[in-house]
Amino acid sequence: MTENRRPLKSRGTGWATGLARLCARTGLSPDAISALSVGFAAAGFWAFWVAATTEGADRAAWLFAAGVAIQLRLLANLLDGMVAVEHGRGGPLGPVWNELPDRIADALFLVGAGMALRIYDPAFGPVLGWTSALLAVLTAYIRELGRALGQDADFVGPGAKPHRMAALTLGCLVAAGLAVTLPDHSFAALWLALAVIVLLTAVTAVRRTLRLAAWLKARDGSA
């Protein structure tokens, strides 16, 4: 099985190495950090759910909280790998904890965002959330299929996890701002963010599939 570690510039920053060192010194295991990411995602789902039935500053606060939860999830995703690899704390179940919580967290955030739109656009809002979650799982599946066949892990975008979460965070922040200034249009920003995520993730699934097919042809042709 090939290595499955996303290349991240933030991994080499001083603040990241310091936090990873702190986690290792306190005895926090990579698996526990991975589990914590699901907790952040569950909190984000709840924030999205409540935002649908609030207005004004309350809606802004819940949407902002969802955006913070997204970033905390990404921080946990960064630290679990660093503690496992750089500090040698990885366990036998590391590969499971590396992948499964990510899929759960993706679904909680994306479906949660769709549920936030259940009143604003009951026909298509939740559908966007579920569709984006399904496509997110699909892109991960294609990557893992490639790895099972011997291909290096393909983290290509434009709708990989960091890209999806960046778009969703931006949607949360814009929607939070509009909840106070233009409340009738606040959820439009979140709707647009999900629509963009669906488009970019679909492109990513197709792109990864084509890259895998090209790799398989090149491998078999040179065999």
Side-chain angles (χ1 to χ4, degrees):
M1 186 72 75
T2 60
E3 184 180 356
N4 188 23
R5 202 178 189 202
R6 189 183 305 274
L8 295 172
K9 293 181 179 179
S10 55
R11 192 175 289 127
T13 60
W15 63 266
T17 55
L19 281 176
R21 189 182 306 115
L22 178 62
C23 290
R25 286 178 178 176
T26 57
L28 194 60
S29 72
D31 296 351
I33 299 173
S34 297
L36 189 60
S37 72
V38 178
F40 291 136
F45 180 94
W46 179 250
F48 279 128
W49 183 270
V50 176
T53 57
T54 55
E55 296 180 356
D58 288 340
R59 178 184 295 175
W62 283 110
L63 290 170
F64 182 80
V68 171
I70 294 169
Q71 294 304 305
L72 289 174
R73 174 264 178 119
L74 292 177
L75 178 61
N77 290 162
L78 172 68
L79 293 177
D80 61 1
M82 293 183 69
V83 173
V85 177
E86 277 81 351
H87 296 274
R89 295 288 307 280
L93 298 181
V96 175
W97 284 101
N98 187 53
E99 285 298 319
L100 188 56
D102 249 5
R103 308 291 74 78
I104 297 172
D106 266 346
L108 285 171
F109 278 122
L110 295 169
V111 173
M115 291 299 102
L117 301 173
R118 66 187 187 275
I119 297 174
Y120 171 76
D121 183 4
F124 294 105
V127 171
L128 284 174
W130 282 102
T131 303
S132 59
L134 176 63
L135 288 170
V137 173
L138 179 61
T139 60
Y141 170 79
I142 296 168
R143 185 191 74 236
E144 289 303 300
L145 174 62
R147 289 186 67 233
L149 295 171
Q151 182 191 38
D152 290 337
D154 191 356
F155 293 106
V156 71
K161 179 181 69 178
H163 310 137
R164 295 191 299 268
M165 294 298 104
L168 190 57
T169 301
L170 180 60
C172 288
L173 296 179
V174 173
L178 291 175
V180 177
T181 57
L182 295 170
D184 291 340
H185 301 284
S186 59
F187 281 129
L190 193 58
W191 192 102
L192 180 61
L194 276 179
V196 169
I197 290 170
V198 167
L199 175 62
L200 294 183
T201 311
V203 170
T204 300
V206 172
R207 190 179 181 197
R208 289 186 185 182
T209 301
L210 293 175
R211 285 163 61 92
L212 175 57
W215 179 84
L216 288 171
K217 290 180 180 178
R219 184 193 65 176
D220 293 345
S222 60

